[in-house]
Amino acid sequence: CPNDANFTFTLPVMEIPLVKLRLKDGAWESVPNGSLTLERKHQIGNFADFCNDCGNCDVFCPEEGGPYRIKPRFFGSEAGWRERPDLDGFFVERTGALVRMLGRIQRHEYGMEWEAGQVVYSGSDFSVRFEESDPAATVTGPGPAEVDLTFAFIMDRIRRGVLASSGVNYINCLME
């Protein structure tokens, strides 16, 4: 990348069980919804503020698809994230013990906040709260008849990876 927009972060190789939450008789119940497999610990991210979408990384990337198109794209500010509604991507910020993440995945916007083991996950038509250690058993809040936690799990793993202290990248540097 001529602008050094791409960076690496690590995610553990694992299989994550996915669930949908269904509101039934005023209480949430969890329904298995397949799994998400993370096959490689080495991940590539793209820092949108430096990327000019030239495609140079696509030419040299040993993997299928260019990092600037298919890898997680991160914005350095909420304003930058909001200015590009045509691009999927993430904005992460930390204020004291609170970590907040905005995500746009498949053109749908989501928000998550983590603080002291509590998580708030929201989308266009829902906002639920749960304990990080057991989302399905502890969920509360208003929502439609069903809330899919797939993107919550994806955002959580990405958050953990880019904020990990095991390596330096554009995102965790902004948090210090």
Side-chain angles (χ1 to χ4, degrees), residues 43-157:
Q43 300 291 319
I44 298 173
N46 175 274
F47 192 62
D49 296 23
F50 293 167
C51 182
N52 62 5
D53 294 312
C54 70
N56 198 42
C57 60
D58 196 11
V59 174
F60 294 100
C61 187
E63 296 181 12
E64 185 70 29
Y68 76 109
R69 291 196 179 181
I70 64 169
K71 301 298 182 183
R73 186 180 291 245
F74 296 89
F75 294 83
S77 69
E78 182 175 344
W81 182 81
R82 293 202 182 281
E83 287 170 6
R84 295 301 310 263
D86 56 315
L87 294 176
D88 283 357
F90 304 96
F91 166 67
V92 184
E93 70 178 345
R94 181 181 300 153
T95 306
L98 174 72
V99 175
R100 185 172 77 104
M101 184 174 189
L102 300 174
R104 191 177 303 109
I105 304 170
Q106 299 173 352
R107 304 296 188 255
H108 297 282
E109 294 183 5
Y110 302 93
M112 290 189 78
E113 294 181 355
W114 295 264
E115 186 171 27
Q118 296 292 309
V119 180
V120 176
Y121 174 51
S122 59
S124 63
D125 62 346
F126 68 91
S127 180
V128 293
R129 176 180 293 276
F130 51 82
E131 291 180 22
E132 190 170 11
S133 61
D134 193 356
T138 60
V139 66
T140 61
E146 185 173 88
V147 174
D148 188 343
L149 292 183
T150 299
F151 295 137
F153 289 135
I154 290 170
M155 290 173 65
D156 181 57
R157 292 300 170 211

Side-chain angles (χ1 to χ4, degrees), residues 31-48:
V31 178
N33 191 35
S35 62
L36 173 66
T37 303
L38 301 175
E39 296 177 350
R40 295 182 181 175
K41 68 178 187 173
H42 174 81
Q43 300 291 319
I44 298 173
N46 175 274
F47 192 62

Side-chain angles (χ1 to χ4, degrees), residues 47 75-77 92 169-176:
F47 192 62
F75 294 83
S77 69
V92 184
N169 61 57
Y170 295 119
I171 309 310
N172 63 17
C173 282
L174 290 171
M175 302 298 117
E176 300 305 319

